[in-house]
Amino acid sequence: MSVYIHEVKGVDETGVAGTQEQPFKTAAFALFCSETEPKLFVYKEADGEYQEISASALKKARKGCEGLKKKAIKQKEQDAKKQQQDADNAAKQMAALNIKIEEDKSLPEAKKCKIGQSYELVGQRVKISGWIHRLRSNKKVMFIVLRDGYGYLQSVLTGDLAIAQQSLDLTIESTVTLYGTITKVPEGKSAPGGVELLVDYYEVVGLAPSGDEAFTNKIAEGADPSLLLDQRHLALRGETLSAVMKVRAALMKSIRRVYTEESLTEVTPPCMVQTQVEGGSTLFKLDYYGEQAYLTQSSQLYLETCLPSLGDVYCVQESFRAEKSHTRRHLSEYTHIEAELAFLTFEELLDHIERVLCKTVQYILEDPIAGPLVKQLNPDFQAPKMPFMRLEYKDAIEWLKEHDIKNEDGEEFKFGDDIAEAAERKMTDTIGVPILLTKFPAEIKSFYMPRCKDDNRVTESVDVLMPTVGEITGGSMRINTEEELLAGFKRENIDPKAYYWFIDQRKYGTCPHGGYGLGTERILAWLCNRFTVRDCSLYPRFSGRCKP
């Protein structure tokens, strides 16, 4: 029998005839397809005809044929193995589909609790609802890390629970209710709270999508920050952002505690106003029933009106600044903690601000939830200690000149320059301690700040600067005479008519008073070691961002 090989026109496929019209491509495959060894003819391009294969080429072809036979045997074994695996998987899937997850009514009644409470319930059967934070399977064991906002709980499913189809279909961020017994983790192992839940039954409350719509595709590690902001409602479920929000809650609780100790009364001023506090260029305008109004820049003026009736007061209120700024420490909407105090001196105001900051941080660090989170987020954080360094503006200018730090125009700082963020941060980080930067020139401060008696060029004003974050607090004494206040309005080209109620505070029983505002998000950035204040706001608002 003759078989033909053509290296150019031939094809190595089963079913090929091996004739001159349908030749094989290689001699090895021609032998592989033949039951008995045929006579092989190879097409020679130079001669333009088929010629009988040479002895050396035939020897090589026989060796190649043996290799093809071994490969075919191996492939057959693999196909058989795969076929068996497919059959086994089909059987397992069928078995998994037939497994019904049912509660064993003979077990003790489960105690409903939050995850944080479960850490103290070792040996008890509990019922805990939450979201699947992490999920992994290992043959007949499934591990779920459950999250409910009060903690994380390692949970273990074994036996039929681990292999049931319902369990195999579980996804990250699905909501479930787990039933089981709280046990201590084995020696040498670790888990949140030092415990784990041995699950004996569970219910699916809401199954999250898989595939393209899976949570991990929505919130991918290292994704563009703008995409993460679009998905903020999902990003908040992450361990870092949720930790910052818990520290934020502790900050609010702690500062209210401090204000109670300092005998300040909380009030709630309006957010829709018809007056400015920090300059007209940063006002958000709105139509208020046909009148022009604004979103408040600060509640300070309203707080001042409360002093005669309520004594020292404070508020926790949203403030709005229409600055088109994209720096890491600016927001268009931020939570403003503001206070006003009567019958005090500038030095007493500085002492008060120190106490408020130090005691608030102390209470946060003592909080059983927030304290460990601050340590986790910012391992090197050092609580501030009193007294803070006092540094006057004029001395800060000299410091900047001595250290060859230039102003925004690239020139040497001179008295009257505004110390911008970069230079301020450089100075603060170099000095490395909390600073009360005081006595700024009147020209770069607000109309309501009084001038110092010993230097008419500067005001009784203060910024609190913290290493790594910069300014977190700004405050001052307030002008307490009608004449001086009207002069301030005139200097800033502000029509005093809309401020009649504010001017009345100087007319009907004036008094020395001062106040300040704390930027909640900036304090959190300092506490939690966040690069930007955007990480410290639930849904940050800044230029170009007003969703979701």
Side-chain angles (χ1 to χ4, degrees), residues 250 253-255 257-258 261 358-368 370-371:
K253 181 174 68 174
S254 298
I255 202 160
R257 176 181 170 185
V258 173
E261 293 172 357
C358 289
K359 290 174 76 174
T360 299
V361 171
Q362 175 192 334
Y363 293 155
I364 292 170
L365 296 179
E366 290 173 354
D367 186 273

Side-chain angles (χ1 to χ4, degrees), residues 18 56 94 116 207 223 275 296 337 378 427 442 483 528 531:
S56 61
M94 186 61 67
L207 192 65
T275 51
T296 186
I337 302 169
N378 193 359
M427 179 181 69
E483 181 184 1
C528 300
F531 177 76

Side-chain angles (χ1 to χ4, degrees), residues 146-428:
L146 196 69
R147 182 191 75 244
D148 69 349
Y150 296 92
Y152 298 88
L153 179 63
Q154 180 170 290
S155 309
V156 184
L157 285 68
T158 58
D160 284 354
L161 278 180
I163 63 174
Q165 189 62 46
Q166 178 178 302
S167 300
L168 300 176
D169 290 339
L170 290 174
T171 50
I172 297 292
E173 292 305 320
S174 292
T175 40
V176 293
T177 298
L178 305 182
Y179 296 72
T181 303
I182 297 290
T183 64
K184 289 188 176 182
V185 293
E187 190 78 26
K189 302 289 184 180
S190 64
V195 301
E196 62 185 9
L197 179 68
L198 301 183
V199 180
D200 57 58
Y201 171 66
Y202 76 89
E203 298 164 340
V204 176
V205 179
L207 192 65
S210 58
D212 292 342
E213 286 293 302
F215 181 83
T216 48
N217 288 333
K218 290 282 187 178
I219 303 294
E221 189 175 345
D224 184 272
S226 64
L227 295 177
L228 292 177
L229 284 168
D230 287 342
Q231 302 296 328
R232 185 70 166 193
H233 58 296
L234 299 178
L236 284 167
R237 302 182 183 200
E239 293 176 26
T240 299
L241 275 180
S242 62
V244 173
M245 292 306 121
K246 288 176 182 178
V247 176
R248 182 185 174 108
L251 166 61
M252 295 304 176
K253 181 174 68 174
S254 298
I255 202 160
R256 283 186 164 98
R257 176 181 170 185
V258 173
Y259 281 142
T260 299
E261 293 172 357
E262 292 279 320
S263 300
L264 273 70
T265 300
E266 184 172 7
V267 294
T268 51
C271 283
M272 293 182 287
V273 300
Q274 291 186 305
T275 51
Q276 67 183 59
V277 181
E278 300 295 341
S281 64
T282 67
L283 285 166
F284 281 109
K285 298 179 181 179
L286 62 115
D287 185 315
Y288 188 74
Y289 302 110
E291 294 184 82
Q292 182 163 286
Y294 315 99
L295 294 177
T296 186
Q297 300 166 313
S298 166
S299 297
Q300 175 205 321
L301 307 191
Y302 293 96
L303 290 177
E304 289 188 46
T305 68
C306 298
L307 295 176
S309 57
L310 300 174
D312 299 341
V313 290
Y314 77 96
C315 70
V316 179
Q317 185 73 281
E318 299 304 291
S319 284
F320 305 85
R321 303 283 171 90
E323 294 173 283
K324 291 185 178 179
S325 175
H326 287 274
T327 75
R328 57 178 174 160
R329 67 176 195 170
H330 282 93
L331 292 169
S332 298
E333 176 186 7
Y334 65 98
T335 303
H336 210 171
I337 302 169
E338 299 181 86
E340 290 293 321
L341 302 94
F343 298 107
L344 82 170
T345 64
F346 184 46
E347 282 300 318
E348 288 171 335
L349 176 65
L350 299 182
D351 292 342
H352 166 82
I353 292 173
E354 279 183 342
R355 285 197 308 276
V356 168
L357 287 171
C358 289
K359 290 174 76 174
T360 299
V361 171
Q362 175 192 334
Y363 293 155
I364 292 170
L365 296 179
E366 290 173 354
D367 186 273
I369 295 173
L373 289 176
V374 172
K375 187 67 177 174
Q376 173 187 315
L377 294 165
N378 193 359
D380 299 325
F381 179 75
Q382 296 291 325
K385 296 179 180 178
M386 297 187 289
F388 292 177
M389 177 183 180
R390 259 74 161 174
L391 181 66
E392 292 189 17
Y393 166 87
K394 62 181 177 61
D395 297 323
I397 293 295
E398 291 303 315
W399 190 97
L400 292 165
K401 288 162 66 175
E402 289 171 7
H403 289 79
D404 198 32
I405 297 173
K406 307 299 184 184
N407 64 17
E408 286 190 300
D409 297 324
E411 301 173 353
E412 186 178 79
F413 271 97
K414 61 185 180 299
F415 189 91
D417 285 347
D418 190 10
I419 302 175
E421 179 188 1
E424 181 184 86
R425 286 285 301 276
K426 180 71 173 176
M427 179 181 69
T428 308

Side-chain angles (χ1 to χ4, degrees), residues 23-80:
F24 287 106
K25 185 177 180 66
T26 65
F29 196 82
L31 291 176
F32 174 71
C33 291
S34 304
E35 293 183 8
T36 58
E37 185 172 293
K39 185 177 286 189
L40 301 180
F41 291 87
V42 181
Y43 186 79
K44 300 294 184 180
E45 192 69 40
D47 299 324
E49 63 180 5
Y50 284 96
Q51 297 178 6
E52 189 172 353
I53 192 169
S54 66
S56 61
L58 180 60
K59 184 177 179 181
K60 185 178 179 182
R62 287 169 179 163
K63 188 174 181 181
C65 177
E66 289 302 314
L68 290 173
K69 287 179 179 178
K70 289 178 181 178
K71 187 176 179 180
I73 292 169
K74 188 175 181 181
Q75 184 63 48
K76 189 175 182 181
E77 290 173 349
Q78 288 177 343
D79 290 345

